[in-house]
Amino acid sequence: MSRVNTNVRSLIAQRVLAKSNYTLNTSIERLSTCLKINTAKDNRAALIASENLRSAMAGIMTAIDNAGCASNIIGTAEGGLAEVSSLLTELTGLVGQAANTGGLSKKELGANQLQVDSILSTINRIAGATSFQGAKLLNGNYSYSASSTATSAFTSLSVTGLNAGKSKTFGITSGAATFSLGKVAETENAFIGLQSLSTGSLGDATLGYLSSLASGGANSLSATSLVQAQKILDKATKQVSQLRGRLGAFQKFTIGATVNSLGVAYENASAAESAIRDTDFAQETASLTRSQILSQAATTVLAQANAAPQAALNLLRG
């Protein structure tokens, strides 16, 4: 080396050392953070894919949480229905006793009527008090309202019956409990109607309503015939049982199946995101070892390259 102003070998060694140190620092960063991609410069395309997967995972977790909340709401409503069902059974027993007119005194009949009134009051109380985080569940707030034209934002139901050749499309225009079981979109929502369980709603207009069994009502225990009262009770019991069945099916199949599906989707998204973003320690430790060796070698070579121009002094001495 006879040139002093420009030490080409030193420049080469500096470039290789800088490259080795950059690779070494990258490996240390990846091993420290456990992430293969820490900034966009590491891999721009992979970063975009990773962020999209993270967004999807966040949406899936929210949907799972929503489904869990929905299950709790349905469970709360079903608990209220179970109590009403038990009370209807008690009413059936009292009506059956009242029908035994030959073996029941007026005082006993009056006492039974007080029990009937108490049970009816309790059913109304349950219908008005069953709630989840302040939202009333069984007072009719979430019952379906339908119209004969399918203009609903929710859904439309094709109804068939005796006049199937003609009974018609009905649109759900309001009501129903709405649960978001996926991303924020109408297609990801699930709906279920929760009718009112008040004594003025159980039964129907043809037979009469449960409230008519109260004192002074058309179907109280002092009525001439209790056949109608029994028919109303049968109708009310059927209504409560059917609603419990719908809630159970909704909880098991709509919510349960959705949670299972979302769980699988979250696993797959997590695996894909991990493969893109997480550090492969076996690969990265091997890269770290290689970078350390190259860095040390480049440092040694740089020291030798920096010492080479001193050979020019030998020419001056000679």
Side-chain angles (χ1 to χ4, degrees), residues 279-312:
T279 297
D280 183 336
F281 268 68
Q283 178 182 353
E284 207 59 51
T285 51
S287 178
L288 175 67
T289 301
R290 178 177 178 275
S291 297
Q292 287 175 329
I293 293 173
L294 290 175
S295 179
Q296 293 172 8
T299 300
T300 301
V301 171
L302 178 60
Q304 294 175 352
N306 288 338
Q310 295 180 8

Side-chain angles (χ1 to χ4, degrees), residues 126-157:
I126 292 173
T130 303
S131 62
F132 188 88
Q133 294 185 349
K136 306 292 184 181
L137 301 178
L138 301 177
N139 66 347
N141 282 345
Y142 294 119
S143 61
Y144 280 126
S145 296
S147 68
S148 59
T149 56
T151 57
S152 164
F154 295 106
T155 185
S156 61
L157 304 177

Side-chain angles (χ1 to χ4, degrees), residues 211-223:
S211 57
S212 65
L213 275 67
S215 296
N219 297 294
S220 65
L221 298 187
S222 60

Side-chain angles (χ1 to χ4, degrees), residues 6-255:
T6 304
N7 190 339
V8 178
R9 283 185 289 185
S10 176
L11 294 176
I12 294 173
Q14 290 177 49
R15 176 177 56 80
V16 173
L17 178 60
K19 183 178 180 180
S20 298
N21 283 340
Y22 176 81
T23 305
L24 177 62
N25 292 337
T26 300
S27 294
I28 291 175
E29 181 183 36
R30 289 176 176 175
L31 291 170
S32 299
T33 61
C34 298
L35 294 175
K36 182 164 54 178
I37 301 174
N38 290 280
T39 60
K41 65 182 176 59
D42 293 331
N43 191 325
R44 295 178 296 279
L47 178 68
I48 294 172
S50 175
E51 290 298 327
N52 289 337
L53 286 169
R54 284 190 171 188
S55 177
M57 288 163 60
I60 292 172
M61 282 305 300
T62 300
I64 291 175
D65 291 341
N66 288 347
C69 181
S71 182
N72 293 335
I73 293 172
I74 297 301
T76 301
E78 206 276 331
L81 286 168
E83 289 300 320
V84 171
S85 182
S86 297
L87 291 171
L88 290 175
T89 301
E90 294 287 339
L91 280 178
T92 300
L94 291 170
V95 169
Q97 286 182 359
N100 186 29
T101 56
L104 200 67
S105 67
K106 289 185 177 180
K107 287 185 178 181
E108 289 174 318
L109 186 65
N112 284 355
Q113 183 62 58
L114 288 176
Q115 293 184 63
V116 170
D117 292 343
S118 177
I119 290 174
L120 295 177
S121 176
T122 301
I123 291 176
N124 285 330
R125 188 180 306 112
I126 292 173
T130 303
S131 62
F132 188 88
Q133 294 185 349
K136 306 292 184 181
L137 301 178
L138 301 177
N139 66 347
N141 282 345
Y142 294 119
S143 61
Y144 280 126
S145 296
S147 68
S148 59
T149 56
T151 57
S152 164
F154 295 106
T155 185
S156 61
L157 304 177
S158 179
V159 181
T160 58
L162 295 177
N163 298 320
K166 295 181 180 179
S167 168
K168 212 170 181 185
T169 299
F170 288 84
I172 303 302
T173 58
S174 63
T178 305
F179 302 107
S180 177
L181 303 181
K183 64 181 181 180
V184 181
E186 283 189 13
T187 56
E188 302 293 340
N189 291 340
F191 308 94
I192 187 167
L194 300 174
Q195 68 193 64
S196 172
L197 285 192
S198 68
T199 58
S201 299
L202 291 175
D204 59 35
T206 302
L207 294 174
Y209 294 97
L210 197 61
S211 57
S212 65
L213 275 67
S215 296
N219 297 294
S220 65
L221 298 187
S222 60
T224 304
S225 174
L226 294 175
V227 174
Q228 196 67 15
Q230 186 59 58
K231 289 181 178 179
I232 293 172
L233 277 171
D234 291 342
K235 179 68 174 180
T237 300
K238 183 179 180 181
Q239 288 172 327
V240 172
S241 298
Q242 287 178 337
L243 182 54
R244 290 184 70 184
R246 286 198 299 111
L247 291 181
F250 185 85
Q251 192 171 25
K252 180 176 181 179
F253 298 111
T254 302
I255 297 177

